[in-house]
Amino acid sequence: DGTYEVQFASVPSEKCHLSVTVGGHDVAGSPVEVKVVGGSVITAVKQEFKHPSDSVYLGVAIGPDGLLYCSDNSGQVTILNRQGQVIRSFKVKNGGSLNGIALSRTGNVIVSDLSFSYIRIYTVTGEFVRQFKVKGKDQDQLSYPCGVAVNKEGHIFVVECEGHCVSVFTEEGTFLYRFGHKGKAEGEFNYPRYILITPDDLVYV
């Protein structure tokens, strides 16, 4: 829910400065000054990293600029620094609930629109580039695209939750192939939602 709690043993001092970092960067609210009473005590610190409105972040990607690109259920993309401060945001036109988000090899923002089964592509400043429809194995059935990721070739991998598969497209939206089907055996999926592609192109679903 965006809340973290830290417990630590303080040194005998009236005031201490606590720094909480992720990947070498301070999280929102860090460092914080805490007051110590009675020497060495156990002190708890709580902080929140939440959406600035009532919306909920559903996807996050780290850009080459080190910024966090977040998609939410109101159809908005928000860009934050590592401290949780909003740098800028933009609304996806006619967008529904944005689930997955990734950065293309050309530096564009790719989001999956769960509500309307579209993949929508924007520049990092919010200018529309293109969009394409994602359909399931049954071409009349919506696929509910969730997680998205990009491999070294720049191909877009889209997790189809209702289709129990992963579909692969070029950045221009040309369908290439899909893999997976419903089941519990190796290589099968059961309502998959998220995807990760490693630098050596291993795909985790």
Side-chain angles (χ1 to χ4, degrees):
D1 63 356
T3 302
Y4 64 84
E5 180 174 341
V6 179
Q7 291 187 333
F8 65 99
S10 68
V11 296
S13 174
E14 290 187 358
K15 292 183 179 180
C16 294
H17 288 86
L18 172 67
S19 180
V20 181
T21 63
V22 175
H25 299 274
D26 283 308
V27 298
S30 175
V32 63
E33 185 179 280
V34 293
K35 188 175 182 180
V36 179
V37 180
S40 181
V41 296
I42 299 296
T43 306
V45 175
K46 288 187 177 181
Q47 185 55 263
E48 293 184 347
F49 179 78
K50 291 186 175 180
H51 197 287
S53 69
D54 292 331
S55 301
V56 178
Y57 290 134
L58 298 178
V60 61
I62 301 177
D65 50 10
L67 297 177
L68 304 178
Y69 291 76
C70 304
S71 55
D72 69 29
N73 62 339
S74 73
Q76 180 169 288
V77 173
T78 304
I79 297 94
L80 309 98
N81 62 21
R82 295 296 184 99
Q83 289 73 47
Q85 300 168 322
V86 176
I87 305 300
R88 61 183 176 275
S89 63
F90 61 88
K91 197 81 170 178
V92 172
K93 185 177 181 180
N94 300 321
S97 179
L98 305 181
N99 199 294
I101 186 169
L103 276 295
S104 73
R105 295 303 175 192
T106 57
N108 290 323
V109 178
I110 304 167
V111 291
S112 62
D113 190 330
L114 182 64
S115 302
F116 300 107
S117 292
Y118 272 101
I119 296 299
R120 306 186 192 271
I121 302 177
Y122 286 76
T123 67
V124 294
T125 56
E127 297 176 8
F128 176 76
V129 177
R130 72 179 64 89
Q131 65 184 23
F132 55 91
K133 190 82 172 178
V134 179
K135 295 184 178 181
K137 294 179 180 178
D138 178 353
Q139 292 299 300
D140 295 324
Q141 173 188 351
L142 297 180
S143 62
Y144 296 98
C146 290
V148 294
V150 179
N151 69 0
K152 288 192 295 186
E153 295 180 85
H155 295 158
I156 301 172
F157 287 62
V158 182
V159 174
E160 296 186 25
C161 182
E162 291 290 330
H164 310 284
C165 65
V166 176
S167 292
V168 184
F169 302 84
T170 66
E171 188 175 343
E172 290 70 34
T174 301
F175 174 78
L176 297 176
Y177 59 93
R178 63 168 47 94
F179 59 88
H181 56 270
K182 188 175 182 179
K184 296 183 179 180
E186 183 176 349
E188 297 176 335
F189 302 123
N190 188 23
Y191 297 100
R193 296 186 64 88
Y194 306 107
I195 186 169
L196 169 70
I197 300 180
T198 66
D200 52 354
D201 268 358
L202 292 179
V203 179
Y204 291 80
V205 180

